[in-house]
């Protein structure tokens, strides 16, 4: 099995349950990890035998541009897009952090973590 990950990917986006959050926006951080069996021999040194982390980044970018009320919805959409692009992936972990969420006191971040496990869905 191979693991490919992106960590600490930062975005400014307009997610939030409250209308003002979708107006003023905020900072977010994403971690994505995927686990899979390689599609071919890694010694061939070919990108199409693995998961391209640039594609993972672009999927995150695309989904972060769509304002949503819940960060859970965003994280789940990222997983759905990764599954469409790479159906051979066995596991996907997405962690989405909302930096400095609007609270009455200081909070570094709130977060959701969603895991897709192909074996559990078959």
């Amino acid at each position: 099995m191979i693991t490919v990950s992106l960590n600490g990917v930062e975005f400014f986006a307009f997610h939030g349950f409250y209308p003002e959050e979708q107006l003023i926006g905020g900072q977010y951080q994403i971690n994505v990890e995927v686990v899979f069996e390689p599609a071919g021999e890694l010694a061939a040194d070919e990108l199409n035998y693995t998961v391209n982390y640039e594609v993972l980044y672009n999927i995150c970018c695309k989904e972060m541009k769509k304002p949503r009320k819940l960060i859970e919805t965003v994280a789940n959409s990222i997983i759905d897009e990764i599954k469409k692009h790479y159906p051979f992936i066995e596991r996907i972990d997405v962690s989405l952090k909302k930096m400095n969420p609007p609270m009455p006191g200081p909070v570094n971040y709130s977060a959701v973590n969603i895991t897709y496990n192909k074996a559990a869905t078959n």
Side-chain angles (χ1 to χ4, degrees):
M1 295 295 247
I2 295 177
T3 300
V4 171
S5 63
L6 286 177
N7 294 291
V9 184
E10 296 183 6
F11 295 97
F12 187 87
F14 298 89
H15 308 300
F17 182 76
Y18 299 105
E20 58 270 18
E21 291 179 283
Q22 292 191 2
L23 287 174
I24 61 172
Q27 289 294 131
Y28 295 84
Q29 190 177 90
I30 298 176
N31 297 323
V32 177
E33 182 175 281
V34 299
V35 178
F36 60 96
E37 286 291 339
E41 190 60 44
L42 289 177
D45 203 25
E46 294 292 331
L47 189 56
N48 59 343
Y49 292 151
T50 187
V51 171
N52 183 340
Y53 53 81
E54 184 177 7
V55 171
L56 297 179
Y57 178 85
N58 291 333
I59 288 170
C60 292
C61 271
K62 177 182 152 198
E63 294 306 315
M64 289 300 288
K65 289 179 181 175
K66 300 175 187 175
R68 309 269 181 47
K69 290 181 181 177
L70 302 176
I71 58 176
E72 290 89 331
T73 305
V74 180
N76 195 65
S77 294
I78 290 169
I79 288 172
D80 287 344
E81 288 301 310
I82 293 170
K83 289 185 330 189
K84 284 180 198 172
H85 202 83
Y86 295 109
F88 57 85
I89 288 178
E90 296 293 323
R91 193 181 87 233
I92 306 168
D93 293 310
V94 173
S95 168
L96 177 52
K97 297 177 181 178
K98 182 175 194 167
M99 309 309 289
N100 304 305
M103 297 284 169
V107 176
N108 190 16
Y109 63 86
S110 59
V112 297
N113 299 291
I114 299 179
T115 299
Y116 160 78
N117 192 331
K118 190 175 191 175
T121 61
N122 289 337

